[in-house]
Amino acid sequence: MPRFLGNILENLFGKPATVRYPFERPEHVPGIRGELSFDMSKCDQCQDCERLCPSGAIEVDVEGKRIEWNPYMCIYCHLCVRSCMHQAITPLENVQPPGYRLEKKVFET
Amino acid sequence: MPPRAKYLRTIWAELARLQSHLLWLGLFAEAIGFESLFMKIWRDRELVLELTEATNGHRIHMGTTVIGGVSKDMDERLRSRYLTDMDRLRKEVDDWSHVFYKDAAFREKTIGKGILPKADAVHLGAVGPTVRGSGVLQDMRTYGYEAYGELDFKPITHDGCDSYSRTLVRLDEVYQSIELIKRAVNQLPEGPLANKNDRFPNGVAIYRTEQPRGEVFYYAVGNGTIHLERLRIRTPTLPNIPPLLQMLVGHEVADIPTIVHSIDPCISCTERITYVKEAA
């Protein structure tokens, strides 16, 4: 019973364990695997990222010099970031927010 | 493999075990009817997930193991965070573990339910906490892969052969994982993270490791090209299904949820066969 009472008091007066999400957002830790951003001035369209991507989220258009990245297919493994020879892919430290439409992100020179 | 990579892999394997066992303990508590205990355990699991996120960038699937080592490192600040968080987690687990050890309602629902005798556990090929709950000492970590050989690891077994002893195996393994992580973080050697490897695999490899649910078996055949010739993964739920059928015999319908939960089933893990048709 004393253990029980302590628990009740802790729950009554203690802080909640969760974050009130839409009003306050949790801090993202450094090193989190977030969204990708392609630096097209460094990219030479070698297509390494497209070939390695396990979920097929990256499409490289060699002639048009543009990259389409699908954030809803991406599994955020960052194989592309590790494999890029020119370090043209920089991950952002955020989490892809939920969206209403399945939009791809387009990176052009 | 470099020793630092071995230790880091061990630490992350134990973190994965912690999060899996805490998830299971929560679900099991809920299956028995302890709703608030489930919330409490999952709140403490969040500690482990945040720690994983801070090191690996992901919360559950770490994606840090690369061929010949690991891809992420741990700095001094993270090392001290690991030690303080593990102490904190231990305190939190102490706060609710007495329910599993002593609570009358919990013992009533698990002791003598889902009995798997020692001989049947061996005969039907059970793995992981299911077989260790029947008193059989079978744990792949005793073979000392990665850094387990240097961490003075001793597997946990219980002789009850029922749902209760399977629960105790997992609960004791939570405490053991906390100790193993602390020991590995303290002993973490310096050195490179991965060996460079630029050749395609050629030959046959068999590897057995201990996952939270039991032994996982990898069989791979390489032929010196970029593609593997054959790959077979046997996840621990598959060998635990025949023992489950044995356990269910002779019990009441109300006991089924706890008995099925007691092997920690992951049905999505069992579907691992991909048949690739060769071109004529």
Side-chain angles (χ1 to χ4, degrees), chain B residues 210-245:
Chain B
E210 186 75 14
Q211 279 192 343
R213 293 184 174 88
E215 173 207 325
V216 69
F217 176 90
Y218 269 76
Y219 171 77
V221 182
N223 50 8
T225 63
I226 193 167
H227 298 294
L228 286 178
E229 197 160 294
R230 188 173 284 260
L231 176 69
R232 174 84 174 111
I233 306 168
R234 195 192 69 178
T235 45
T237 301
L238 197 64
N240 273 342
I241 287 175
L244 173 65
L245 300 179

Side-chain angles (χ1 to χ4, degrees), chain A residues 3 13 22 25-26 34-35 41 45 55 58 61 63 68 82 87-88 95 100 108:
Chain A
R3 202 191 270 267
F13 300 108
R25 278 159 196 264
E35 277 183 71
S41 60
Q45 284 90 37
S55 59
I58 302 172
D61 180 1
E63 278 158 27
E68 277 184 7
R82 283 210 296 269
Q87 278 95 39
V95 171
Y100 291 106
E108 282 173 314

Side-chain angles (χ1 to χ4, degrees), chain A residues 3, chain B residues 89-98 175:
Chain A
R3 202 191 270 267
Chain B
L89 183 67
R90 205 196 150 86
K91 256 187 220 138
E92 299 283 358
V93 176
D94 280 338
D95 200 28
W96 47 256
S97 64
H98 65 94
Y175 283 114

Side-chain angles (χ1 to χ4, degrees), chain A:
Chain A
M1 187 65 193
R3 202 191 270 267
F4 196 58
L5 205 68
N7 219 335
I8 291 175
L9 287 175
E10 190 194 318
N11 285 344
L12 262 181
F13 300 108
K15 266 200 326 186
T18 47
V19 180
R20 299 170 66 233
Y21 171 63
F23 308 109
E24 46 178 297
R25 278 159 196 264
E27 268 182 48
H28 290 309
V29 284
I32 188 176
R33 303 192 196 196
E35 277 183 71
L36 306 179
S37 87
F38 293 81
D39 185 350
M40 294 308 286
S41 60
K42 286 183 188 166
C43 177
D44 68 347
Q45 284 90 37
C46 69
Q47 292 170 294
D48 267 357
C49 49
E50 185 182 355
R51 242 171 279 134
L52 268 172
C53 184
S55 59
I58 302 172
E59 278 173 41
V60 182
D61 180 1
V62 179
E63 278 158 27
K65 289 196 175 179
R66 70 205 281 274
I67 289 179
E68 277 184 7
W69 170 62
N70 188 340
Y72 301 103
M73 263 165 102
C74 182
I75 57 168
Y76 300 91
C77 64
H78 285 193
L79 262 181
C80 49
V81 179
R82 283 210 296 269
S83 73
C84 186
M85 286 186 293
H86 308 286
Q87 278 95 39
I89 313 174
T90 16
L92 306 177
E93 287 194 347
N94 71 343
V95 171
Q96 167 72 25
Y100 291 106
R101 274 174 296 166
L102 294 172
E103 277 178 339
K104 287 180 181 174
K105 287 204 171 176
V106 180
F107 298 90
E108 282 173 314
T109 35

Side-chain angles (χ1 to χ4, degrees), chain B residues 50-67:
Chain B
E50 276 165 16
L51 210 52
T52 318
E53 193 177 16
T55 19
N56 303 323
H58 277 180
R59 283 162 65 85
I60 292 173
H61 292 284
M62 304 190 183
T64 36
T65 303
V66 292
I67 293 169

